[in-house]
Amino acid sequence: MRAVDIKTGKGAATALYITDIPKPTPSKGEAIVKIKAFGLNRMDLLQRNGQYPVPPQAPKTLGVEFSGIVESLGEGCKDGFKVGDEVFGLAYGGAYAEFIAVSTHMLLHKPHHLNWDEAAGVPETWITATQAMYLVGSFEKGKSILWHAGASSVSISGIQLSKIGGASKIYVTAGSQEKIDFCVKELGATAGFNYKTQNWSEEILKATDGKGVDVVVDFVGANYFQGNLDVAARDGTIVHLGAMSGTKLPNGVDIGAFVRKRITFVGSSLRSRDLDYQGKLRDTLETYLPQFEDGTFKIYVDKVFPWEKIIEAHEEMEKNTSQGKIICTIS
């Protein structure tokens, strides 16, 4: 089968190319899915550069979310799928390819109202947002929440989940007024702050009368560490999911808020979790399907590329200008 590979094992986007590799065979409980579309995620950029700890069970091929058609089933599949079913799902890796082997418990039936592009952009995004809010961040109705990188796919999902979950206030940060307007006017966030032109932590404290926010979801890392401590409310939780600005803290960081405000700082990931943990989140995602259908939850696809333009797709993600998912299709 054809799949995306990386010249010399790692490198810039220009190192990506399509080549032939062996087609996977299903292990017990797995399906082989013929992929129609796959979603790009920031972890793909890190993995491409050799900066992501890939789980031992993952193939070297990039990609964790996809949509497609069940081609065959291995022994022991008990999740009600059959050959020919249209599905979407989450895998440990291997989605940048014509076929993927994946546990049937990580698949969902694709609703008819979702096209292949939309379905491919759902699993990683919505599962990560759910995990960050509820399993890690201990979000409850009435709490306030801050989503950094507000126009990123995970935060777009998170804002919608926060709204339906009864958040008292939903704040975001973003790098342009266009993105802030999108988060506030389109998604329903309470307010947004431009990290390029404003001191976002000071502005959030002003907006909350100095109280701060109960849950902070951060993908940025080092550059936001102090600001996150400053804006976290008493007994607040900071959920650390990524380190786009690095992991080494600058001199002068004041950690006194940990004790003074009893802050909980939790780092987490999804891809390294076992199948049972991921499967429970998949089950939660399944409960969202009616809300995707009635329009309560919206899926935002920013750009779609044929997978032959995988270099351009990765370069587009690196620009940090998208408002929603970047998807590649396989014809």
Side-chain angles (χ1 to χ4, degrees), residues 7 18 29 69 74 79 111 120 177 198 222 235 263 275 280 293:
K7 297 173 185 175
I18 296 175
I69 300 171
D79 296 292
Q177 190 59 47
Q198 295 176 289
D235 295 314
I263 292 171
L275 192 59
K280 291 175 183 177
E293 186 166 8

Side-chain angles (χ1 to χ4, degrees), residues 12 21 23 32 59 100 105 139 148 152 166-167 226 294 301 328 330:
I21 67 170
K23 181 179 175 181
I32 298 298
I100 190 171
H105 193 50
F139 176 84
H148 287 302
S152 68
Q226 185 68 67
D294 67 19
V301 174
C328 284
I330 301 178

Side-chain angles (χ1 to χ4, degrees), residues 157-200:
S157 305
I159 293 165
Q160 296 181 73
L161 287 169
S162 302
K163 188 175 179 181
I164 201 72
S168 58
K169 300 288 182 182
I170 306 168
Y171 298 107
V172 301
T173 62
S176 71
Q177 190 59 47
E178 180 183 7
K179 288 184 176 181
I180 290 170
D181 289 343
F182 169 71
C183 292
V184 174
K185 297 177 182 179
E186 177 72 19
L187 300 177
T190 306
F193 305 94
N194 189 330
Y195 65 84
K196 293 181 179 179
T197 62
Q198 295 176 289
N199 185 319
W200 58 266

Side-chain angles (χ1 to χ4, degrees), residues 116-137:
W116 296 116
D117 306 344
E118 292 169 329
V122 169
E124 172 70 17
T125 298
W126 286 83
I127 285 177
T128 298
T130 300
Q131 178 200 24
M133 274 183 65
Y134 291 105
L135 273 67
V136 183

Side-chain angles (χ1 to χ4, degrees), residues 34-115:
K34 180 177 176 57
I35 293 179
K36 302 290 288 186
F38 57 84
L40 272 62
N41 292 281
R42 196 155 295 278
M43 77 177 81
D44 302 346
L45 308 187
L46 295 172
Q47 184 176 338
R48 190 199 72 213
N49 284 312
Q51 299 172 339
Y52 190 92
V54 181
Q57 67 270 50
K60 72 171 187 175
T61 303
L62 299 170
V64 299
E65 61 180 348
F66 58 90
S67 61
I69 300 171
V70 175
E71 186 200 55
S72 63
L73 294 163
E75 296 180 0
C77 294
K78 302 176 181 179
D79 296 292
F81 293 96
K82 63 183 185 300
V83 172
D85 282 352
E86 297 183 349
V87 296
F88 62 109
L90 187 69
Y92 285 108
Y96 285 26
E98 290 182 310
F99 296 92
I100 190 171
V102 60
S103 167
T104 54
H105 193 50
M106 294 310 297
L107 295 176
L108 296 110
H109 290 283
K110 183 182 79 66
H112 295 302
H113 66 280
L114 295 184
N115 61 37

